[in-house]
Amino acid sequence: MVSSNLLQQTLPFEPRQFFYNIHWRARTYHAGATLTAHHGNGSDFAGFSSLLACPDPKRIDIRASVRSVPRQWLVRTYLERAAIHVYAVLDVSSSLFFQPAAAQLTSTMRQQITEFVASLAWSVTRQGDAFGLRAANDREQASLLRLPSVQPGTAQQVSQQLADYWQQALAQGQQQGQGATAMPAAIESIGAQRALVFLISDFYWPQTLLQQTLKAAQAHDVVPVVLRDRAAMQDLPAFGWARLRDMESGAERSWMLRRGLHQRIQAHAEQQQQALNALLVNAGTRAPLWLGPDWRAETVSRHLMETMA
């Protein structure tokens, strides 16, 4: 049987395009699709200006000039459109390496991340924006640093870049003992210019780390993307002893699984989801996108459009 790690490396990249929008204006000068505050040769009408202030006789508006008091030649002005920077900021801590003992050729969270981030890069460059990448566990990961780029082929490169990273991380034993303490620094490395940031994690973080990360991201338009493996909460054995291990701290304990405990685990998971949603939205992010292994581009587009405001 082929392992899921090998499957991840051999599957070809299949782009899934989804769409997003923003409620703020771009500040860059690279041509794109987002409205700016820059007056120029765009097609979005901004108002009128005097011919002396904007010497472009081709845009003289006779009717507006006749109505002006005092009389002066008025020209129509327009706003330019430009590209924005869109970043994927990845949590690559040890909990993202979770894989059930009985896993078959099914999607792991690493594959979900690779597919989603590569599709995000594809969607961003197709829309004319610039895609950038940051990643961290207890350290910022230089091998996953990618400066914003509008170049074709970015999505395919990102897909291979992530596949290589997972392979190397597994070989070096990073699937245990790594937290996510460098996530605030990874976001700060983006800079102060406002960007659309997809913050991708399972968000099994201490409260202080979550608050520090959200504080570092206040300048940006943040879309939390929450990854959860069904097997960790719902597909537990019906009855018997289970040995549980925290992948980040390495702590282990034994539980006697039974129906009552299953119900308590499920209720806790639902409460945690509601609490995380409320905390993120109250911190100024968009509503979180809960990403399952069977995610669809249409669902992602709908979520991003509905949470734009």
Side-chain angles (χ1 to χ4, degrees), residues 230-296:
R230 176 186 175 89
M233 289 292 178
Q234 299 179 10
D235 295 342
L236 298 172
F239 183 81
W241 285 101
R243 190 71 173 168
L244 306 179
R245 183 180 74 251
D246 187 314
M247 298 188 67
E248 295 186 4
S249 68
E252 294 187 3
R253 62 181 300 182
S254 296
W255 278 13
M256 180 62 182
L257 297 176
R258 56 196 184 279
R259 179 181 298 178
L261 184 57
H262 274 262
Q263 294 173 348
R264 287 166 53 192
I265 291 174
Q266 186 61 38
H268 176 74
E270 293 174 358
Q271 293 172 2
Q272 188 184 49
Q273 177 174 343
Q274 295 173 3
L276 181 61
N277 286 343
L279 192 153
L280 290 169
V281 172
N282 290 339
T285 74
R286 300 195 191 193
L289 170 63
W290 290 75
L291 196 72
D294 55 349
W295 67 275
R296 299 178 59 190

Side-chain angles (χ1 to χ4, degrees), residues 136-283:
N137 43 38
D138 285 330
R139 296 180 301 171
E140 293 183 70
Q141 299 300 303
S143 60
L144 290 178
L145 171 64
R146 194 173 191 89
L147 297 177
S149 172
V150 297
Q151 296 299 319
T154 297
Q156 289 82 354
Q157 295 168 14
V158 167
S159 179
Q160 187 60 51
Q161 190 176 3
L162 283 166
D164 293 343
Y165 175 82
W166 299 128
Q167 182 181 16
Q168 184 178 4
L170 286 167
Q172 295 176 351
Q174 293 185 22
Q175 64 269 36
Q176 292 187 16
Q178 290 287 337
T181 55
M183 288 297 288
I187 293 181
E188 289 172 354
S189 69
I190 292 174
Q193 179 176 300
R194 187 165 187 145
L196 179 60
V197 175
F198 287 78
L199 182 60
I200 304 171
S201 173
D202 56 10
F203 290 95
Y204 286 129
W205 295 350
Q207 191 79 1
T208 54
L209 175 60
L210 182 57
Q211 292 175 349
Q212 291 171 1
T213 303
L214 295 177
K215 183 178 180 181
Q218 282 181 342
H220 305 292
D221 185 354
V222 179
V223 181
V225 181
V226 186
L227 300 163
R228 293 291 164 91
D229 195 304
R230 176 186 175 89
M233 289 292 178
Q234 299 179 10
D235 295 342
L236 298 172
F239 183 81
W241 285 101
R243 190 71 173 168
L244 306 179
R245 183 180 74 251
D246 187 314
M247 298 188 67
E248 295 186 4
S249 68
E252 294 187 3
R253 62 181 300 182
S254 296
W255 278 13
M256 180 62 182
L257 297 176
R258 56 196 184 279
R259 179 181 298 178
L261 184 57
H262 274 262
Q263 294 173 348
R264 287 166 53 192
I265 291 174
Q266 186 61 38
H268 176 74
E270 293 174 358
Q271 293 172 2
Q272 188 184 49
Q273 177 174 343
Q274 295 173 3
L276 181 61
N277 286 343
L279 192 153
L280 290 169
V281 172
N282 290 339

Side-chain angles (χ1 to χ4, degrees), residues 6-67:
L6 183 57
L7 180 67
Q8 178 180 331
Q9 297 172 41
T10 56
L11 279 176
F13 169 62
E14 297 181 1
R16 286 185 261 181
Q17 185 175 2
F18 48 82
F19 301 92
Y20 57 87
N21 210 339
I22 60 173
H23 64 276
W24 42 276
R25 295 189 176 185
R27 295 185 179 180
T28 68
Y29 287 90
H30 191 284
T34 302
L35 193 64
T36 72
H38 310 145
H39 288 78
N41 295 320
S43 58
D44 297 277
F45 179 71
F48 296 101
S49 181
S50 70
L51 181 61
L52 293 177
C54 187
D56 187 354
K58 299 188 301 296
R59 293 185 174 179
I60 290 177
D61 189 302
I62 301 296
R63 292 184 179 180
S65 300
V66 170
R67 292 195 301 265

Side-chain angles (χ1 to χ4, degrees), residues 81-133:
R81 287 182 175 263
I84 63 170
H85 289 173
V86 181
Y87 286 89
V89 181
L90 311 182
D91 168 10
V92 291
S93 59
S94 295
S95 61
L96 274 299
F97 288 82
F98 171 78
Q99 185 168 332
Q104 298 177 352
L105 298 183
T106 55
S107 175
T108 65
M109 285 195 287
R110 299 188 302 279
Q111 286 174 267
Q112 283 181 246
I113 292 174
T114 302
E115 292 168 1
F116 181 79
V117 174
S119 295
L120 174 62
W122 175 267
S123 304
V124 169
T125 53
R126 294 274 289 182
Q127 189 160 316
D129 293 326
F131 175 81
L133 181 64

